[in-house]
Amino acid sequence: MSDADDSARPPAVRRVGRGSRLFQRLLRLGPPLTRDVVVHPHLPVPMPDGTVLYAERWAPRHGGDGLPTALIRTPYGRGRRSTLAALPLAERGFQVVVQSVRGTFGSGGAFKPMRNEREDGLATLDWLVKQPWCGDSVVLTGSSYLGYVQWAVADQLPPQVRAMVPVVTEAALTLAFLREDAFELETPFAWGVMVSGQERKGALLRQLLGARRAHRAQFTTPLEEADRAAIGSPSPYIQNILSHGAEDPHWDGVDQQARVAAASVPVSSVAGWFDIFLPGQLRDYRALRAAGREAWLTVGPWAHTAVGVQAEGARQTLEFGLPHARGERPQEREPVRLYVMGAEAWRGFESWPPAGYAPRRFHLQEGGGLATAEPGPSGPDRYRYDPADPTPAVGGVRFAPGRGGRKVNTRLEARADVLTYTTAVLDADTEVIGEVEAEVWFRSSLPYADVFVRLCDVDAKGRSRNVCDGLVGLSGADEITRASLRLWPTAHVFKRGHRIRVQVSSGAFPRYNRNPGTGEPRATAVTLRAADQRVFHDPEHPSAVVLPVRATSAAG
């Protein structure tokens, strides 16, 4: 029986294999209250337009009725696919309802990403609170798309909803990737490929075997044919992300940012320093706090699909959501809890960004130096960028499992199309927490070019590991231009004896689409032109990275 058919089985205790139990041990959630969980599958949920969506209910065999309900709305399937999300909660004080969103895994209608989640979400809540087993409290939880659906209804929740736990997500979702000056190709393309075949038999194996094919497809010119190269047929979602920028009217109704400040319940957000949605999630958190809402923020050293993200999401649902559902207060903690990389420790703060961190400019210097001193007279550094052999993305913010996070950058920095600028050895720890920016004075032989800046930590053995980065696309780049970049936020201690390094290049493919240098639309560009790039660092053109620093000492 396929995963799509699994929900048609009669109500029974779901058999949980060793893999699920092992995963739960990795989550370190503490002992369960019960292991005797019953799954009630194939519950019909009618929508106002007559479409029927299907859900399943996980609950203890005895005493499940009336428990707080955790609602998870997902496009990724029920049955075995929902075990790792639902089981830890159902064994520890919740009953859990997992619903397949419109057009997925047996639910009626067509799946149009992000288009129906408000209307369907509100109708689902209206149905849920009327069920005799539901009780009087509901918590919304889930990661990525499963978090976006929470924001879609956040301003119109019934009184039974007591808390939200959005995990590695944000209220605008896809739109963050579609900026005209920094088109992030990998995530929306890979997601479009994934959902296009997720209901086929053996979908997971097919995805694993097709990963290399999907990667190669991103080299396709024109890009509008890349979906055919990856999956053999057009994907409406991929075609839309290639053809419509973030400001295009095509995306009207997708952005839920306006609902964030109006959220009527406490919110605990879980994010990762290398997550694809981090800037938007921090924006949402600031909007909640500015509106006076009760809100927690937890940011760990995670990429989007890390086990630690799932563990923290479950933990916050239990430690924040469950007390609120019971009319109790969660255990006291600072509103902001950050994992400080380099120090490898968790620390609490009152706000994001935290107070006490002042911007400090580290200037690019002649000869590959980096220092707080103003640069002296010098000529520009040069490199050649060839989109036919694009500078690769190494670690950092990646969608693919295992590819994100902190990686050794030795091979990347050995490429001729990557410049590096490094401080002297630090004589004291230098703590950087907050928003990171860069200003690079730049000129290209072509009018269209990208500037990519990466902050790295070089340890005492000379190993360079990425901390955060960002990219901006320029037009008019054949004149000397100041490229202003906002890098990913971070919390990192550069330890005494280490060095701070900045990389400058013109790409990180396939995370970002390669710039063809021609100004052609991204979907239809077919010509790739190599460019000679120059980076300036002199008194008239003081290129720098701007770090929010609290330190006892730093390189001069």
Side-chain angles (χ1 to χ4, degrees), residues 7-9 11 39-47 52-58 78 95-100 106-107 124 127-128 131 133:
S7 59
R9 294 175 177 175
V39 181
H40 304 266
H42 220 60
L43 305 178
V45 185
M47 297 293 106
V52 176
L53 311 187
Y54 284 92
E56 63 187 12
R57 173 184 168 230
W58 298 63
R78 308 183 313 282
Q95 54 182 323
V96 184
V97 171
V98 182
Q99 182 194 58
S100 294
S107 286
T124 297
W127 169 86
L128 177 61
Q131 302 309 301
W133 41 262

Side-chain angles (χ1 to χ4, degrees), residues 316-329:
Q316 289 301 309
T317 305
L318 293 166
E319 296 181 1
F320 181 89
L322 191 56
H324 278 295
R326 291 171 172 168
E328 304 166 357
R329 294 296 305 167

Side-chain angles (χ1 to χ4, degrees), residues 519-533:
E520 296 175 273
R522 66 174 69 99
T524 57
V526 294
T527 302
L528 303 178
R529 297 180 62 188
D532 295 311
Q533 323 287 49

Side-chain angles (χ1 to χ4, degrees), residues 184-471:
E184 295 186 54
L185 173 64
E186 181 179 52
T187 294
F189 183 84
W191 189 80
V193 169
M194 181 186 76
V195 298
S196 69
Q198 65 175 348
E199 297 195 45
R200 298 174 64 186
K201 186 175 182 179
L204 180 58
L205 179 60
R206 289 175 181 271
Q207 289 171 13
L208 293 173
L209 295 176
R212 183 172 297 181
R213 180 183 179 187
H215 175 75
R216 288 197 304 266
Q218 294 170 99
F219 285 89
T220 302
T221 54
L223 260 179
E224 64 183 1
E225 297 179 3
D227 48 1
R228 296 171 179 84
I231 58 178
S233 61
S235 158
Y237 175 76
I238 292 175
Q239 291 296 312
N240 285 329
I241 62 107
L242 292 175
S243 302
H244 304 287
E247 304 300 324
D248 193 293
H250 172 82
W251 301 109
D252 288 351
V254 167
D255 188 349
Q256 310 294 341
Q257 291 182 66
R259 308 191 195 285
V260 174
S264 57
V265 298
V267 178
S268 180
S269 296
V270 178
W273 292 125
F274 301 101
D275 181 50
I276 55 181
F277 297 121
L278 177 62
Q281 190 157 17
L282 295 177
R283 176 207 64 223
D284 294 343
Y285 175 76
R286 290 194 298 269
L288 287 168
R289 291 299 298 270
R293 308 299 180 187
E294 180 181 350
W296 283 6
L297 172 68
T298 304
V299 190
W302 309 306
H304 192 66
T305 56
V307 171
V309 164
Q310 305 307 318
E312 190 62 30
R315 187 173 295 110
Q316 289 301 309
T317 305
L318 293 166
E319 296 181 1
F320 181 89
L322 191 56
H324 278 295
R326 291 171 172 168
E328 304 166 357
R329 294 296 305 167
Q331 184 175 351
E332 289 296 322
R333 55 160 263 191
E334 293 90 345
V336 176
R337 186 168 177 262
L338 308 178
Y339 187 87
V340 182
M341 299 178 292
E344 311 306 326
W346 288 97
R347 290 178 54 191
F349 299 88
E350 288 300 316
S351 64
W352 176 266
Y357 294 82
R360 181 178 296 174
R361 296 176 66 88
F362 287 76
H363 290 99
L364 279 55
Q365 308 281 343
E366 185 177 21
L370 183 71
T372 55
E374 295 285 337
S378 64
D381 294 322
R382 303 168 185 263
Y383 63 95
R384 185 173 179 81
Y385 173 74
D386 186 355
D389 178 24
T391 315
V394 175
V397 179
R398 305 293 299 277
F399 182 74
R403 295 196 176 187
R406 290 177 280 185
K407 305 290 184 184
V408 174
N409 279 227
T410 303
R411 292 180 62 183
L412 177 64
E413 293 175 352
R415 287 179 60 103
D417 56 2
V418 178
L419 302 178
T420 60
Y421 302 87
T422 311
T423 65
V425 174
L426 301 174
D427 58 12
D429 289 358
T430 301
E431 185 172 283
V432 174
I433 301 181
E435 306 287 340
V436 180
E437 298 178 346
E439 298 174 359
V440 176
W441 288 91
F442 179 86
R443 186 174 184 177
S444 175
S445 60
L446 299 175
Y448 300 95
D450 291 342
V451 178
F452 178 79
V453 174
R454 166 168 279 188
L455 180 67
C456 295
D457 184 338
V458 183
D459 67 18
K461 295 182 179 180
R463 293 171 298 198
S464 175
R465 291 182 173 85
N466 52 290
V467 175
C468 61
D469 50 49
L471 177 143

